Amino acid sequence: MADVKKIKPGLSKGTRDFLPREVAKRNYIFDTIKSVFRKYGFEEIETPAIEKLETLTGKYGDEGDKLLFKILNSGDYLKDAPPALLQNPNAKDLQPYIAEKGLRYDLTVPLARYVVMYQDKLAFPFKRFHIGPAWRADRPQKGRYQEFYQCDADIIGSTSMICEAELTSICTEVFAKFGFGVKVRINSRKLLEALAEYAGCLALFAELTVCIDKLDKIGFGGVKGELVKLGLSEEQIEKITSLLESNSLTDLTVALGNSEMGGKGLAEVNYVLQKAGSPAVEFDLTLARGLNYYTGIIWEVVLDKNNDALKNISMGSLCGGGRYDNLTEIFGGQNMSGVGISFGIERIYDVMEELNLFPEAIAKGVKVLFVPRGPEMEEFTFKQVQAVREAGISAEIFLGNVKKQKHFKYLEDKNIQYMVEVGSDEQATGAYRLRNALSRETKEGLSLEHLIKQLSQG
Amino acid sequence: MADVKKIKPGLSKGTRDFLPREVAKRNYIFDTIKSVFRKYGFEEIETPAIEKLETLTGKYGDEGDKLLFKILNSGDYLKDAPPALLQNPNAKDLQPYIAEKGLRYDLTVPLARYVVMYQDKLAFPFKRFHIGPAWRADRPQKGRYQEFYQCDADIIGSTSMICEAELTSICTEVFAKFGFGVKVRINSRKLLEALAEYAGCLALFAELTVCIDKLDKIGFGGVKGELVKLGLSEEQIEKITSLLESNSLTDLTVALGNSEMGGKGLAEVNYVLQKAGSPAVEFDLTLARGLNYYTGIIWEVVLDKNNDALKNISMGSLCGGGRYDNLTEIFGGQNMSGVGISFGIERIYDVMEELNLFPEAIAKGVKVLFVPRGPEMEEFTFKQVQAVREAGISAEIFLGNVKKQKHFKYLEDKNIQYMVEVGSDEQATGAYRLRNALSRETKEGLSLEHLIKQLSQG
């Protein structure tokens, strides 16, 4: 390494490092969610970060294709490009010849590939969870990264509405564990389809949902404007927006209850509301979810704005999902219905941080720091530390500069509860002083045996 | 997704998926190692998969640079390439213009970058561990993947030999937990340097260590041949190989004890052997480690071939590491000494699998599977399942085809311990039969309350 020129250390745009305390907090979030997933019988899987581009391309729309990170082929990556193209290369035409692999864009397309590849080895209905990074070449901005974690649970191969009931229950249970109030908004894509049918614009269903999806951002005025642009008449727009504004299941039952699609959608929503039996779960017709592969119940979890502590926190969806069909078809699998939810762990982290909800215990370091009073005491101190560790107690020996009192900062930085200084006196007498770093209380004259007993209890 | 052409699902070369049971086993390995790291005061950090290429390039030699996965710039990636170069492009010259990012090759260079960037926020000596994937465009072969996990613990900023003692102790403790016998081979690069000095070929030190590193593969005959090629005389070669063959600290003390470097190396090795106090830790002069950034103690953990159960398993190093200097210098950091070890979790996995050492408990599914005797029983059954879950017991409701008896396979595939079938009888009487899937024992006539009590105990 010696002859390499020095460089200023920096991160690639849109990526992050995590300090130990941040990792501890993120692990707390992951572990909490995992424990609920496992309680409901979801099993963890893993898929690689690198996928063939043919697996990824075309699954996320044109915009998504542009946001895929593509990996340059190894070695002479130009060797397969047609000579004519190399005469006058352009990025778009050249790319398929020089890059065959990419980084996964989400965990859903890899799941579809996985289910088809291992269908003989999996227990169906297949309930899996997967927590891991995904990558998108989005323009980085506050809260949006090019490398970010996804945290998904899906059930593949069952059309039972019990799946929806379970996933709703998982949502409420997870956020109850985190300790802040949320609303679990639900809707059915079938109701939105019935709404389009009711307004006589079923052919524009996909466009309509995209409009409704923007409601939070552009308001009803904006949505009306967009619907005009789609070519809808005033009467059609009135039919749509009045139902959206009333947002009432009673009104919807009157308007859509007689259509087949409307009836199904109402049944779905009523079923989930009834099974949830929680005031946190609410119907919301204005919930649309942009992705047009959803076909049934859709979810979105948001902060409960009726809760005073949360009123002033501006934060988007903390969890979302829905039922989709034909996930596996593209990989040659049989038609299997799927339904899943995805937790937005970066946002959950920000809310927890804002409300100071992380339990103190998760940032704790080892139980005790042994501080040798100078390098000549290190060997003897190490022996005591090893004895403490052998008793199953986490412990450290401080190897920094004791003369400069650096051990106090170390104790604080690593959130270590107890400290024992070891000098020639302690070595001679075998009696130690245990100091509680927080309360500053001390216990004197403890033998190593008593020290271990004390630490095992405290 | 509907209009995308169907493709055969497949993995990118050298990458892997993991089935739920494999993930459970891998998690067991990670968790075991983490628990030991934490007991010794190591804190977990995370760095991104994507790094700037300028961070990665030049750190792993020319061969390493070729194995870096490079990520194509987003959008019109050709726009920064000099027009002249585009007239007649070649892969090597074009690459810097079209790819600025890459996938990390290991966790060590990111650590160096990290320590320099956050030196004001970290507690020093900085003890960190990091478990995560790294990527290399190696030719895939048995046991070697393009995407693979590394599992590293390092101490940065202390020259105390207590660090070496701690890391040695971590090695023995981790493998004791896994339950198979290993030898922890140690050496000091200073002894190898003294050996080169002793043979009068100090200028060829780097080349000499590369030769010795190949000893396992090419034997003493092969090493002698390589030394001849390096231009060493018969006498020089004899000096080197006789000490390597005797591999005795006593002989080395006689031959190298008077040189400054030899004295230091002997002191290091003796110190670690004494502190370890374990017959599993052995001196081995033939241990060289190819990487020439090591400057002091080096480790390598291998299967204990004296152990009958392990005799026939052919497996390379399971863990390795060493002390290195100037890790952070390249990123403009002050000169900080570091020392670290890295566990080869893929190989540990293979040994555990071969010896059937994974604890049975890790593959366990939920505690109990409720099986509705037909779709009409799903709603009622779900209610019972939710009550069981509320009592803190993990449970599932089976949503597959009961008529085809698929629940028995599900029970077995997911390793679920108990089963309760729910039909109209159970609904009417409120009395359930609990069946132990393994022993096939049953308990009849249990109320839901008793069922929960039973499951909490069993």
mmCIF file of all heavy atoms in Angstrom, chain A residues 17-18 41 70 72 77 91 113-114 118 160 166 169 275 378-379 386 389 414, chain B residues 17-18 39 41 70 72 77 91 113-114 118 160 166 169 275 378-379 386 389 414:
data_model
loop_
_atom_site.group_PDB
_atom_site.id
_atom_site.type_symbol
_atom_site.label_atom_id
_atom_site.label_comp_id
_atom_site.label_asym_id
_atom_site.label_seq_id
_atom_site.Cartn_x
_atom_site.Cartn_y
_atom_site.Cartn_z
ATOM 1 N N ASP A 17 -22.291 5.360 6.174
ATOM 2 C CA ASP A 17 -21.672 4.522 7.195
ATOM 3 C C ASP A 17 -22.558 4.583 8.425
ATOM 4 O O ASP A 17 -23.322 5.536 8.606
ATOM 5 C CB ASP A 17 -20.299 5.086 7.587
ATOM 6 C CG ASP A 17 -19.269 4.942 6.480
ATOM 7 O OD1 ASP A 17 -19.189 3.858 5.895
ATOM 8 O OD2 ASP A 17 -18.539 5.919 6.232
ATOM 9 N N PHE A 18 -22.413 3.606 9.308
ATOM 10 C CA PHE A 18 -23.142 3.651 10.574
ATOM 11 C C PHE A 18 -22.172 3.496 11.738
ATOM 12 O O PHE A 18 -21.352 2.579 11.759
ATOM 13 C CB PHE A 18 -24.209 2.564 10.620
ATOM 14 C CG PHE A 18 -25.263 2.747 9.567
ATOM 15 C CD1 PHE A 18 -25.250 1.990 8.404
ATOM 16 C CD2 PHE A 18 -26.254 3.715 9.722
ATOM 17 C CE1 PHE A 18 -26.210 2.171 7.427
ATOM 18 C CE2 PHE A 18 -27.213 3.911 8.740
ATOM 19 C CZ PHE A 18 -27.193 3.145 7.590
ATOM 20 N N GLY A 41 -44.809 -17.160 11.996
ATOM 21 C CA GLY A 41 -44.410 -18.271 11.144
ATOM 22 C C GLY A 41 -43.703 -17.891 9.857
ATOM 23 O O GLY A 41 -43.590 -18.709 8.945
ATOM 24 N N LYS A 70 -25.926 -0.787 -12.804
ATOM 25 C CA LYS A 70 -25.453 -1.838 -13.695
ATOM 26 C C LYS A 70 -23.960 -2.061 -13.466
ATOM 27 O O LYS A 70 -23.205 -1.103 -13.316
ATOM 28 C CB LYS A 70 -25.738 -1.453 -15.145
ATOM 29 C CG LYS A 70 -27.238 -1.295 -15.394
ATOM 30 C CD LYS A 70 -27.569 -0.481 -16.631
ATOM 31 C CE LYS A 70 -29.063 -0.187 -16.691
ATOM 32 N NZ LYS A 70 -29.432 1.079 -15.979
ATOM 33 N N LEU A 72 -20.320 -3.322 -14.622
ATOM 34 C CA LEU A 72 -19.505 -3.520 -15.818
ATOM 35 C C LEU A 72 -19.000 -4.961 -15.859
ATOM 36 O O LEU A 72 -18.536 -5.492 -14.848
ATOM 37 C CB LEU A 72 -18.320 -2.547 -15.729
ATOM 38 C CG LEU A 72 -17.656 -2.028 -16.985
ATOM 39 C CD1 LEU A 72 -18.670 -1.435 -17.946
ATOM 40 C CD2 LEU A 72 -16.611 -0.982 -16.595
ATOM 41 N N TYR A 77 -14.389 -5.694 -21.263
ATOM 42 C CA TYR A 77 -15.856 -5.637 -21.318
ATOM 43 C C TYR A 77 -16.366 -5.176 -22.683
ATOM 44 O O TYR A 77 -17.548 -5.282 -22.965
ATOM 45 C CB TYR A 77 -16.401 -4.732 -20.203
ATOM 46 C CG TYR A 77 -15.816 -3.337 -20.196
ATOM 47 C CD1 TYR A 77 -16.339 -2.338 -20.990
ATOM 48 C CD2 TYR A 77 -14.710 -3.039 -19.393
ATOM 49 C CE1 TYR A 77 -15.792 -1.066 -21.002
ATOM 50 C CE2 TYR A 77 -14.159 -1.770 -19.393
ATOM 51 C CZ TYR A 77 -14.705 -0.780 -20.200
ATOM 52 O OH TYR A 77 -14.156 0.468 -20.218
ATOM 53 N N ALA A 91 -24.506 5.420 -25.197
ATOM 54 C CA ALA A 91 -24.625 4.740 -23.910
ATOM 55 C C ALA A 91 -25.729 3.683 -23.924
ATOM 56 O O ALA A 91 -25.548 2.563 -23.447
ATOM 57 C CB ALA A 91 -24.879 5.771 -22.810
ATOM 58 N N ARG A 113 -38.294 -14.686 -8.466
ATOM 59 C CA ARG A 113 -37.312 -15.603 -9.048
ATOM 60 C C ARG A 113 -37.057 -16.786 -8.120
ATOM 61 O O ARG A 113 -37.012 -17.951 -8.536
ATOM 62 C CB ARG A 113 -36.002 -14.827 -9.310
ATOM 63 C CG ARG A 113 -34.882 -15.687 -9.868
ATOM 64 C CD ARG A 113 -33.549 -14.961 -9.938
ATOM 65 N NE ARG A 113 -33.044 -14.447 -8.692
ATOM 66 C CZ ARG A 113 -32.663 -15.187 -7.658
ATOM 67 N NH1 ARG A 113 -32.744 -16.513 -7.723
ATOM 68 N NH2 ARG A 113 -32.224 -14.613 -6.549
ATOM 69 N N TYR A 114 -36.931 -16.494 -6.855
ATOM 70 C CA TYR A 114 -36.630 -17.488 -5.817
ATOM 71 C C TYR A 114 -37.748 -18.526 -5.712
ATOM 72 O O TYR A 114 -37.488 -19.727 -5.670
ATOM 73 C CB TYR A 114 -36.461 -16.715 -4.508
ATOM 74 C CG TYR A 114 -36.040 -17.485 -3.279
ATOM 75 C CD1 TYR A 114 -34.701 -17.484 -2.875
ATOM 76 C CD2 TYR A 114 -36.963 -18.151 -2.475
ATOM 77 C CE1 TYR A 114 -34.312 -18.129 -1.713
ATOM 78 C CE2 TYR A 114 -36.580 -18.795 -1.317
ATOM 79 C CZ TYR A 114 -35.251 -18.793 -0.945
ATOM 80 O OH TYR A 114 -34.865 -19.435 0.207
ATOM 81 N N TYR A 118 -37.103 -22.512 -6.477
ATOM 82 C CA TYR A 118 -37.055 -23.481 -5.365
ATOM 83 C C TYR A 118 -38.431 -24.001 -4.992
ATOM 84 O O TYR A 118 -38.639 -24.448 -3.874
ATOM 85 C CB TYR A 118 -36.370 -22.848 -4.149
ATOM 86 C CG TYR A 118 -35.058 -22.214 -4.513
ATOM 87 C CD1 TYR A 118 -34.925 -20.834 -4.584
ATOM 88 C CD2 TYR A 118 -33.954 -23.011 -4.851
ATOM 89 C CE1 TYR A 118 -33.728 -20.258 -4.967
ATOM 90 C CE2 TYR A 118 -32.754 -22.438 -5.242
ATOM 91 C CZ TYR A 118 -32.659 -21.061 -5.304
ATOM 92 O OH TYR A 118 -31.471 -20.503 -5.699
ATOM 93 N N SER A 160 -56.438 -16.953 0.627
ATOM 94 C CA SER A 160 -57.273 -16.730 1.816
ATOM 95 C C SER A 160 -57.086 -15.320 2.360
ATOM 96 O O SER A 160 -55.975 -14.813 2.455
ATOM 97 C CB SER A 160 -56.903 -17.742 2.905
ATOM 98 O OG SER A 160 -57.502 -17.369 4.129
ATOM 99 N N GLU A 166 -53.688 -11.441 8.967
ATOM 100 C CA GLU A 166 -52.419 -11.638 9.671
ATOM 101 C C GLU A 166 -51.472 -10.466 9.469
ATOM 102 O O GLU A 166 -50.833 -9.989 10.406
ATOM 103 C CB GLU A 166 -51.720 -12.915 9.177
ATOM 104 C CG GLU A 166 -52.445 -14.182 9.556
ATOM 105 C CD GLU A 166 -51.495 -15.351 9.792
ATOM 106 O OE1 GLU A 166 -50.530 -15.486 9.020
ATOM 107 O OE2 GLU A 166 -51.709 -16.115 10.750
ATOM 108 N N SER A 169 -52.485 -7.496 11.417
ATOM 109 C CA SER A 169 -52.174 -7.724 12.822
ATOM 110 C C SER A 169 -50.672 -7.539 13.094
ATOM 111 O O SER A 169 -50.275 -6.998 14.132
ATOM 112 C CB SER A 169 -52.658 -9.129 13.182
ATOM 113 O OG SER A 169 -52.268 -9.491 14.450
ATOM 114 N N LYS A 275 -61.728 -8.305 11.324
ATOM 115 C CA LYS A 275 -60.725 -9.194 11.920
ATOM 116 C C LYS A 275 -59.707 -8.406 12.740
ATOM 117 O O LYS A 275 -59.198 -8.882 13.744
ATOM 118 C CB LYS A 275 -59.984 -9.986 10.832
ATOM 119 C CG LYS A 275 -60.788 -11.110 10.221
ATOM 120 C CD LYS A 275 -60.906 -12.275 11.155
ATOM 121 C CE LYS A 275 -62.104 -13.137 10.762
ATOM 122 N NZ LYS A 275 -63.403 -12.431 10.893
ATOM 123 N N GLU A 378 -0.564 -4.173 32.598
ATOM 124 C CA GLU A 378 -1.469 -4.764 31.599
ATOM 125 C C GLU A 378 -1.572 -6.284 31.713
ATOM 126 O O GLU A 378 -2.662 -6.845 31.669
ATOM 127 C CB GLU A 378 -1.022 -4.380 30.180
ATOM 128 C CG GLU A 378 -1.409 -2.964 29.793
ATOM 129 C CD GLU A 378 -1.040 -2.623 28.344
ATOM 130 O OE1 GLU A 378 -0.493 -3.497 27.639
ATOM 131 O OE2 GLU A 378 -1.307 -1.485 27.937
ATOM 132 N N GLU A 379 -0.412 -6.935 31.864
ATOM 133 C CA GLU A 379 -0.428 -8.403 31.904
ATOM 134 C C GLU A 379 -1.254 -8.925 33.061
ATOM 135 O O GLU A 379 -2.093 -9.803 32.890
ATOM 136 C CB GLU A 379 0.997 -8.932 32.023
ATOM 137 C CG GLU A 379 1.728 -8.948 30.712
ATOM 138 C CD GLU A 379 2.920 -9.898 30.781
ATOM 139 O OE1 GLU A 379 2.736 -11.074 31.133
ATOM 140 O OE2 GLU A 379 4.029 -9.436 30.492
ATOM 141 N N GLN A 386 -9.724 -11.886 31.932
ATOM 142 C CA GLN A 386 -10.046 -13.193 31.352
ATOM 143 C C GLN A 386 -10.863 -14.037 32.333
ATOM 144 O O GLN A 386 -11.769 -14.764 31.926
ATOM 145 C CB GLN A 386 -8.769 -13.931 30.936
ATOM 146 C CG GLN A 386 -8.104 -13.378 29.682
ATOM 147 C CD GLN A 386 -8.978 -13.493 28.444
ATOM 148 O OE1 GLN A 386 -9.863 -12.668 28.208
ATOM 149 N NE2 GLN A 386 -8.763 -14.539 27.649
ATOM 150 N N ARG A 389 -14.376 -12.777 32.174
ATOM 151 C CA ARG A 389 -15.023 -13.242 30.934
ATOM 152 C C ARG A 389 -15.378 -14.721 31.025
ATOM 153 O O ARG A 389 -16.413 -15.146 30.518
ATOM 154 C CB ARG A 389 -14.082 -13.014 29.747
ATOM 155 C CG ARG A 389 -14.011 -11.569 29.297
ATOM 156 C CD ARG A 389 -12.895 -11.374 28.278
ATOM 157 N NE ARG A 389 -12.858 -10.002 27.778
ATOM 158 C CZ ARG A 389 -11.786 -9.440 27.218
ATOM 159 N NH1 ARG A 389 -10.670 -10.133 27.087
ATOM 160 N NH2 ARG A 389 -11.830 -8.191 26.790
ATOM 161 N N LYS A 414 -18.391 4.340 25.353
ATOM 162 C CA LYS A 414 -18.853 2.980 25.098
ATOM 163 C C LYS A 414 -19.952 2.553 26.062
ATOM 164 O O LYS A 414 -20.388 1.403 26.035
ATOM 165 C CB LYS A 414 -17.668 1.995 25.134
ATOM 166 C CG LYS A 414 -16.691 2.232 23.975
ATOM 167 C CD LYS A 414 -15.652 1.150 23.848
ATOM 168 C CE LYS A 414 -16.147 -0.083 23.134
ATOM 169 N NZ LYS A 414 -15.044 -1.013 22.781
ATOM 170 N N ASP B 17 -28.507 -18.084 -3.480
ATOM 171 C CA ASP B 17 -29.677 -17.869 -2.640
ATOM 172 C C ASP B 17 -29.522 -18.758 -1.410
ATOM 173 O O ASP B 17 -28.813 -19.760 -1.445
ATOM 174 C CB ASP B 17 -30.949 -18.313 -3.372
ATOM 175 C CG ASP B 17 -31.303 -17.422 -4.545
ATOM 176 O OD1 ASP B 17 -31.250 -16.191 -4.388
ATOM 177 O OD2 ASP B 17 -31.634 -17.965 -5.618
ATOM 178 N N PHE B 18 -30.244 -18.417 -0.349
ATOM 179 C CA PHE B 18 -30.244 -19.273 0.826
ATOM 180 C C PHE B 18 -31.672 -19.631 1.209
ATOM 181 O O PHE B 18 -32.531 -18.769 1.323
ATOM 182 C CB PHE B 18 -29.528 -18.586 1.987
ATOM 183 C CG PHE B 18 -28.080 -18.335 1.711
ATOM 184 C CD1 PHE B 18 -27.640 -17.071 1.341
ATOM 185 C CD2 PHE B 18 -27.161 -19.366 1.771
ATOM 186 C CE1 PHE B 18 -26.303 -16.842 1.050
ATOM 187 C CE2 PHE B 18 -25.821 -19.151 1.487
ATOM 188 C CZ PHE B 18 -25.391 -17.885 1.125
ATOM 189 N N LYS B 39 -18.678 -9.824 23.989
ATOM 190 C CA LYS B 39 -18.165 -10.102 25.342
ATOM 191 C C LYS B 39 -16.793 -9.465 25.541
ATOM 192 O O LYS B 39 -16.427 -9.092 26.644
ATOM 193 C CB LYS B 39 -18.087 -11.619 25.501
ATOM 194 C CG LYS B 39 -17.720 -12.099 26.879
ATOM 195 C CD LYS B 39 -17.948 -13.591 26.981
ATOM 196 C CE LYS B 39 -16.918 -14.241 27.861
ATOM 197 N NZ LYS B 39 -17.023 -15.698 27.856
ATOM 198 N N GLY B 41 -15.896 -6.681 24.074
ATOM 199 C CA GLY B 41 -15.988 -5.225 23.926
ATOM 200 C C GLY B 41 -15.894 -4.704 22.494
ATOM 201 O O GLY B 41 -15.675 -3.512 22.292
ATOM 202 N N LYS B 70 -16.995 -3.110 -10.926
ATOM 203 C CA LYS B 70 -17.127 -1.675 -11.171
ATOM 204 C C LYS B 70 -18.559 -1.371 -11.633
ATOM 205 O O LYS B 70 -19.120 -2.108 -12.436
ATOM 206 C CB LYS B 70 -16.113 -1.234 -12.213
ATOM 207 C CG LYS B 70 -14.672 -1.458 -11.734
ATOM 208 C CD LYS B 70 -13.653 -1.500 -12.849
ATOM 209 C CE LYS B 70 -12.299 -1.955 -12.320
ATOM 210 N NZ LYS B 70 -12.133 -3.450 -12.384
ATOM 211 N N LEU B 72 -21.306 0.889 -13.520
ATOM 212 C CA LEU B 72 -21.442 1.857 -14.604
ATOM 213 C C LEU B 72 -22.100 3.142 -14.079
ATOM 214 O O LEU B 72 -23.072 3.076 -13.325
ATOM 215 C CB LEU B 72 -22.342 1.220 -15.669
ATOM 216 C CG LEU B 72 -22.176 1.606 -17.131
ATOM 217 C CD1 LEU B 72 -20.733 1.485 -17.598
ATOM 218 C CD2 LEU B 72 -23.086 0.727 -17.983
ATOM 219 N N TYR B 77 -23.479 7.483 -19.557
ATOM 220 C CA TYR B 77 -22.183 7.241 -18.907
ATOM 221 C C TYR B 77 -21.005 7.538 -19.826
ATOM 222 O O TYR B 77 -19.875 7.595 -19.379
ATOM 223 C CB TYR B 77 -22.112 5.795 -18.390
ATOM 224 C CG TYR B 77 -22.385 4.759 -19.446
ATOM 225 C CD1 TYR B 77 -21.380 4.301 -20.291
ATOM 226 C CD2 TYR B 77 -23.667 4.245 -19.624
ATOM 227 C CE1 TYR B 77 -21.637 3.363 -21.263
ATOM 228 C CE2 TYR B 77 -23.939 3.301 -20.603
ATOM 229 C CZ TYR B 77 -22.920 2.862 -21.418
ATOM 230 O OH TYR B 77 -23.177 1.945 -22.395
ATOM 231 N N ALA B 91 -11.057 -1.036 -23.372
ATOM 232 C CA ALA B 91 -11.699 -1.210 -22.072
ATOM 233 C C ALA B 91 -10.924 -0.520 -20.942
ATOM 234 O O ALA B 91 -11.503 0.162 -20.104
ATOM 235 C CB ALA B 91 -11.860 -2.705 -21.769
ATOM 236 N N ARG B 113 -10.898 3.752 5.824
ATOM 237 C CA ARG B 113 -11.607 4.977 5.452
ATOM 238 C C ARG B 113 -12.474 5.465 6.606
ATOM 239 O O ARG B 113 -12.503 6.656 6.947
ATOM 240 C CB ARG B 113 -12.464 4.707 4.203
ATOM 241 C CG ARG B 113 -13.272 5.912 3.745
ATOM 242 C CD ARG B 113 -14.236 5.586 2.620
ATOM 243 N NE ARG B 113 -15.209 4.553 2.925
ATOM 244 C CZ ARG B 113 -16.183 4.649 3.836
ATOM 245 N NH1 ARG B 113 -16.312 5.752 4.557
ATOM 246 N NH2 ARG B 113 -17.014 3.644 4.036
ATOM 247 N N TYR B 114 -13.164 4.547 7.221
ATOM 248 C CA TYR B 114 -14.099 4.836 8.309
ATOM 249 C C TYR B 114 -13.366 5.437 9.511
ATOM 250 O O TYR B 114 -13.803 6.443 10.080
ATOM 251 C CB TYR B 114 -14.766 3.511 8.681
ATOM 252 C CG TYR B 114 -15.863 3.521 9.722
ATOM 253 C CD1 TYR B 114 -17.201 3.518 9.329
ATOM 254 C CD2 TYR B 114 -15.571 3.472 11.077
ATOM 255 C CE1 TYR B 114 -18.216 3.470 10.275
ATOM 256 C CE2 TYR B 114 -16.586 3.429 12.023
ATOM 257 C CZ TYR B 114 -17.909 3.420 11.628
ATOM 258 O OH TYR B 114 -18.908 3.375 12.564
ATOM 259 N N TYR B 118 -14.193 9.204 10.903
ATOM 260 C CA TYR B 118 -14.951 9.386 12.163
ATOM 261 C C TYR B 118 -14.043 9.370 13.385
ATOM 262 O O TYR B 118 -14.496 9.086 14.483
ATOM 263 C CB TYR B 118 -16.035 8.307 12.284
ATOM 264 C CG TYR B 118 -16.866 8.216 11.041
ATOM 265 C CD1 TYR B 118 -16.714 7.170 10.150
ATOM 266 C CD2 TYR B 118 -17.770 9.240 10.711
ATOM 267 C CE1 TYR B 118 -17.444 7.119 8.972
ATOM 268 C CE2 TYR B 118 -18.495 9.194 9.538
ATOM 269 C CZ TYR B 118 -18.326 8.126 8.676
ATOM 270 O OH TYR B 118 -19.035 8.081 7.504
ATOM 271 N N SER B 160 -0.333 -2.425 22.155
ATOM 272 C CA SER B 160 -0.176 -3.405 23.239
ATOM 273 C C SER B 160 -0.366 -4.829 22.728
ATOM 274 O O SER B 160 -1.276 -5.120 21.954
ATOM 275 C CB SER B 160 -1.193 -3.120 24.341
ATOM 276 O OG SER B 160 -1.230 -4.212 25.253
ATOM 277 N N GLU B 166 -5.895 -11.108 23.279
ATOM 278 C CA GLU B 166 -7.363 -11.126 23.229
ATOM 279 C C GLU B 166 -7.870 -11.812 21.972
ATOM 280 O O GLU B 166 -8.804 -12.611 22.016
ATOM 281 C CB GLU B 166 -7.922 -9.693 23.260
ATOM 282 C CG GLU B 166 -7.703 -8.992 24.576
ATOM 283 C CD GLU B 166 -8.822 -8.010 24.920
ATOM 284 O OE1 GLU B 166 -9.280 -7.310 23.988
ATOM 285 O OE2 GLU B 166 -9.227 -7.958 26.084
ATOM 286 N N SER B 169 -7.483 -15.484 22.128
ATOM 287 C CA SER B 169 -8.483 -16.029 23.035
ATOM 288 C C SER B 169 -9.866 -16.076 22.361
ATOM 289 O O SER B 169 -10.637 -17.022 22.558
ATOM 290 C CB SER B 169 -8.488 -15.165 24.287
ATOM 291 O OG SER B 169 -9.513 -15.519 25.140
ATOM 292 N N LYS B 275 0.287 -16.308 27.121
ATOM 293 C CA LYS B 275 -1.016 -15.745 27.511
ATOM 294 C C LYS B 275 -2.162 -16.664 27.114
ATOM 295 O O LYS B 275 -3.167 -16.748 27.807
ATOM 296 C CB LYS B 275 -1.241 -14.372 26.857
ATOM 297 C CG LYS B 275 -0.420 -13.253 27.455
ATOM 298 C CD LYS B 275 -0.970 -12.815 28.790
ATOM 299 C CE LYS B 275 0.102 -12.109 29.605
ATOM 300 N NZ LYS B 275 1.241 -12.969 29.964
ATOM 301 N N GLU B 378 -61.715 -21.384 8.664
ATOM 302 C CA GLU B 378 -60.544 -20.505 8.774
ATOM 303 C C GLU B 378 -60.758 -19.349 9.744
ATOM 304 O O GLU B 378 -59.902 -19.055 10.568
ATOM 305 C CB GLU B 378 -60.162 -19.956 7.396
ATOM 306 C CG GLU B 378 -59.397 -20.961 6.544
ATOM 307 C CD GLU B 378 -58.916 -20.374 5.216
ATOM 308 O OE1 GLU B 378 -59.164 -19.178 4.959
ATOM 309 O OE2 GLU B 378 -58.300 -21.120 4.443
ATOM 310 N N GLU B 379 -61.936 -18.702 9.629
ATOM 311 C CA GLU B 379 -62.178 -17.538 10.475
ATOM 312 C C GLU B 379 -62.129 -17.893 11.954
ATOM 313 O O GLU B 379 -61.471 -17.214 12.742
ATOM 314 C CB GLU B 379 -63.545 -16.931 10.149
ATOM 315 C CG GLU B 379 -63.512 -16.038 8.943
ATOM 316 C CD GLU B 379 -64.719 -15.106 8.928
ATOM 317 O OE1 GLU B 379 -64.928 -14.366 9.902
ATOM 318 O OE2 GLU B 379 -65.433 -15.159 7.928
ATOM 319 N N GLN B 386 -54.853 -16.272 17.073
ATOM 320 C CA GLN B 386 -54.509 -14.941 17.575
ATOM 321 C C GLN B 386 -54.445 -14.929 19.103
ATOM 322 O O GLN B 386 -53.580 -14.274 19.691
ATOM 323 C CB GLN B 386 -55.517 -13.890 17.074
ATOM 324 C CG GLN B 386 -55.363 -13.529 15.607
ATOM 325 C CD GLN B 386 -54.028 -12.889 15.271
ATOM 326 O OE1 GLN B 386 -53.020 -13.578 15.090
ATOM 327 N NE2 GLN B 386 -53.992 -11.567 15.208
ATOM 328 N N ARG B 389 -51.163 -16.440 20.026
ATOM 329 C CA ARG B 389 -50.072 -15.486 19.786
ATOM 330 C C ARG B 389 -50.058 -14.397 20.850
ATOM 331 O O ARG B 389 -48.995 -13.958 21.286
ATOM 332 C CB ARG B 389 -50.234 -14.848 18.401
ATOM 333 C CG ARG B 389 -49.855 -15.775 17.265
ATOM 334 C CD ARG B 389 -50.236 -15.168 15.922
ATOM 335 N NE ARG B 389 -49.789 -16.006 14.803
ATOM 336 C CZ ARG B 389 -50.328 -15.971 13.600
ATOM 337 N NH1 ARG B 389 -51.333 -15.139 13.335
ATOM 338 N NH2 ARG B 389 -49.868 -16.755 12.634
ATOM 339 N N LYS B 414 -41.515 -27.265 7.960
ATOM 340 C CA LYS B 414 -41.227 -26.095 8.779
ATOM 341 C C LYS B 414 -40.837 -26.469 10.208
ATOM 342 O O LYS B 414 -40.633 -25.591 11.043
ATOM 343 C CB LYS B 414 -42.407 -25.118 8.764
ATOM 344 C CG LYS B 414 -42.639 -24.507 7.378
ATOM 345 C CD LYS B 414 -43.629 -23.377 7.383
ATOM 346 C CE LYS B 414 -43.041 -22.058 7.831
ATOM 347 N NZ LYS B 414 -43.948 -20.912 7.583
#
